[in-house]
Amino acid sequence: MKIFVINAGSSSLKYQLIDMETEKVMAKGLCERIGIEGSKLTHKNPGKGTETEIEKPMKNHTDAIKMVLDALTDSDYGVISSLSEISAVGHRVVHGGETFSKSTLISGEVKKAIEDCSEFAPLHNPANLIGINAIEQAMGKDIPQVAVFDTAFHQTMPKEAFMYGLPYEYYEKDKIRRYGFHGTSHRFVSGEAAKFLGKPIEELNIITVHLGNGSSVAAVKGGKCIDTSMGFTPLAGMLMGTRCGCIDPAIIPVLMNKYNLSADEISDIMNKKSGVAGISGVSSDFRDLDKAAAEGNERARLALDMFMYQTKAYIASYAAALGGVDAIVFTAGVGENSPEVREGAVKGMEFMGIKMDTEKNKIRGTVDISAADSKTKILVIPTNEELMIAKDTAELVK
Ligand code: ADP
């Protein structure tokens, strides 16, 4: 069975074609600048080791998807001879609100519900819907499509974890609450951790630490999420590449009044000009920060220290929420690649039974980086949201 996975953004579209028998990626790529001048498709064929760049105008997502489908069936760099080889299409959908607690086969009703959730993710859900409609147009209405939500895994949080201390009617009327994001990644790596430990996930308390451009931590008890650091939007939690994370909410009206900022302007500052980029003044990329800090840049050092400190604070608080922790799992760009951040995020936690082997931590790709006498396993597990989406899709169309 071959599953086509799509992650549609407002002006970009990422895709993978996955062979479910081998779980291998047959083709993958990215459409950039959709609807803007200079549209480009980069298509990779890992089997042949080729990368093809096609620069051609893409007016909209339908154009982009048509180009991708042409690339998949191209006699030169394609990987299938006909679109009929694709059994189903899985879509990453950012927000499923309180409606979706698992992945779902897409119907007219489901599309309407995804649209209803757009108010929570105004940049993402509409793009995801366009992706779904574009597939219908290009491949016909009969191709099964599945929506896999970033928020779904976190729907098991208890009310005391997901409510905010605002007047209750804002929850009732406006559904203002913590939703959490990166759910597909937290679910994938917690499952992989259980496999690695050789224990049923139902018996494990796991803290998953997804550190990338966006970062979040989740507390997973018996395979179910009981708390997570992102909130009503992906702005909450620890500071991130360019996002401020949780701050005293009273700072917002103070800055708005003092600098005469609109809601959009303050939102832009908190989302795009803050985080480790805003603190360091150097970059949102952790490789640049590492380099600058090593060269003595104090603000880059501070940004890294804040990032590690805030990550540690989440790990400690979730250890308490879980009542003990069997494994901490680091994943995503920074979590998989930065030994320094991993070390800083668990430093000084030996009193809690969390002890890293700092030598193992330096070896790239090592899975278990805990010291032999650590009560808690510390693991590094690469995330694979596309594979998780493909697996859910395959399961639902079986
Ligand atoms: P996204 O949230 O966009 O999916 P990723 O999970 O790809 O992000 O993570 C991107 C981040 O990973 C970037 O900030 C980048 O600096 C960081 N990263 C990648 N490689 C390394 C590395 N070798 N050392 C430190 N950070 C790294």
Side-chain angles (χ1 to χ4, degrees):
M1 184 188 267
K2 297 180 181 79
I3 304 285
F4 186 37
V5 176
I6 293 183
N7 180 354
S10 50
S11 69
S12 71
L13 185 144
K14 288 188 220 152
Y15 64 91
Q16 287 192 2
L17 183 67
I18 302 180
D19 181 341
M20 297 314 287
E21 271 76 62
T22 57
E23 296 190 353
K24 286 243 157 66
V25 177
M26 302 173 68
K28 64 193 267 188
L30 167 69
C31 300
E32 292 168 282
R33 301 180 65 83
I34 301 170
I36 317 173
E37 207 174 315
S39 320
K40 184 173 88 177
L41 162 65
T42 310
H43 175 81
K44 291 185 188 163
N45 178 334
K48 281 191 179 168
T50 55
E51 180 173 314
T52 314
E53 282 191 8
I54 307 163
E55 283 181 44
K56 205 169 120 185
M58 298 177 214
K59 282 196 308 295
N60 49 41
H61 286 69
T62 313
D63 280 0
I65 284 192
K66 279 197 190 119
M67 267 178 75
V68 172
L69 295 175
D70 284 346
L72 289 176
T73 48
D74 187 271
S75 56
D76 184 13
Y77 43 80
V79 289
I80 48 176
S81 48
S82 147
L83 291 181
S84 62
E85 290 182 42
I86 298 176
S87 303
V89 182
H91 294 265
R92 175 201 182 206
V93 180
V94 167
H95 220 302
E98 287 191 326
T99 313
F100 298 103
S101 56
K102 4 174 141 61
S103 303
T104 309
L105 258 177
I106 295 170
S107 63
E109 253 172 43
V110 168
K111 283 205 281 186
K112 168 78 176 58
I114 294 172
E115 196 179 333
D116 290 343
C117 294
S118 287
E119 72 167 300
F120 303 134
L123 295 179
H124 292 100
N125 274 31
N128 302 148
L129 271 174
I130 292 171
I132 293 165
N133 288 328
I135 284 287
E136 264 183 24
Q137 280 188 28
M139 298 182 75
K141 279 199 185 279
D142 289 339
I143 180 90
Q145 300 200 70
V146 168
V148 179
F149 301 91
D150 273 20
T151 51
F153 182 59
H154 303 301
Q155 277 296 304
T156 46
M157 280 189 285
K159 213 162 179 178
E160 71 261 29
F162 76 65
M163 288 296 291
Y164 290 124
L166 287 165
Y168 195 78
E169 51 270 29
Y170 290 123
Y171 169 61
E172 284 183 310
K173 277 205 311 244
D174 306 305
K175 290 281 173 267
I176 304 284
R177 52 159 286 179
R178 178 190 306 284
Y179 288 100
F181 297 87
H182 291 145
T184 310
S185 174
H186 290 293
R187 180 159 61 102
F188 180 77
V189 297
S190 54
E192 291 299 300
K195 277 190 217 158
F196 177 80
L197 297 171
K199 291 202 178 133
I201 197 158
E202 291 73 20
E203 291 171 15
L204 292 169
N205 287 345
I206 301 174
I207 297 176
T208 45
V209 187
H210 177 115
L211 307 177
N213 275 319
S215 297
S216 67
V217 185
V220 184
K221 192 171 191 63
K224 294 199 161 68
C225 176
I226 60 159
D227 204 354
T228 190
S229 59
M230 281 182 168
F232 178 67
T233 72
L235 182 57
M238 67 256 278
L239 84 165
M240 310 177 205
T242 61
R243 293 174 230 169
C244 62
C246 285
I247 59 170
D248 181 341
I251 295 168
I252 298 163
V254 167
L255 289 179
M256 288 175 81
N257 287 332
K258 187 159 183 193
Y259 296 107
N260 199 17
L261 300 170
S262 67
D264 283 347
E265 285 166 335
I266 190 81
S267 175
D268 200 59
I269 291 170
M270 293 189 297
N271 275 291
K272 297 187 184 147
K273 303 199 170 100
S274 301
V276 292
I279 292 290
S280 67
V282 172
S283 169
S284 63
D285 192 304
F286 281 74
R287 286 163 289 200
D288 299 337
L289 293 176
D290 283 344
K291 188 160 169 280
E295 287 165 3
N297 184 313
E298 283 179 19
R299 276 168 53 189
R301 182 72 264 150
L302 172 64
L304 285 167
D305 288 344
M306 287 173 69
F307 187 74
M308 295 186 288
Y309 178 73
Q310 294 190 11
T311 306
K312 181 159 88 172
Y314 275 109
I315 293 174
S317 98
Y318 291 168
L322 290 164
V325 44
D326 297 299
I328 296 168
V329 186
F330 287 98
T331 194
V334 183
E336 290 165 31
N337 294 304
S338 174
E340 188 201 346
V341 168
R342 289 195 299 258
E343 187 176 340
V346 296
K347 201 172 182 168
M349 296 178 102
E350 293 80 8
F351 78 98
M352 290 174 70
I354 299 170
K355 191 170 166 195
M356 177 177 271
D357 181 327
T358 49
E359 287 308 311
K360 274 196 209 159
N361 183 39
K362 286 183 196 142
I363 310 169
R364 274 192 74 88
T366 323
V367 180
D368 184 351
I369 55 170
S370 36
D373 57 345
S374 180
K375 270 200 228 145
T376 298
K377 290 281 179 204
I378 308 170
L379 309 176
V380 181
I381 298 182
T383 194
N384 194 340
E385 290 158 280
E386 291 79 12
L387 180 60
M388 188 86 261
I389 292 171
K391 282 184 168 183
D392 280 7
T393 305
E395 191 60 38
L396 280 164
V397 300
K398 243 185 213 161

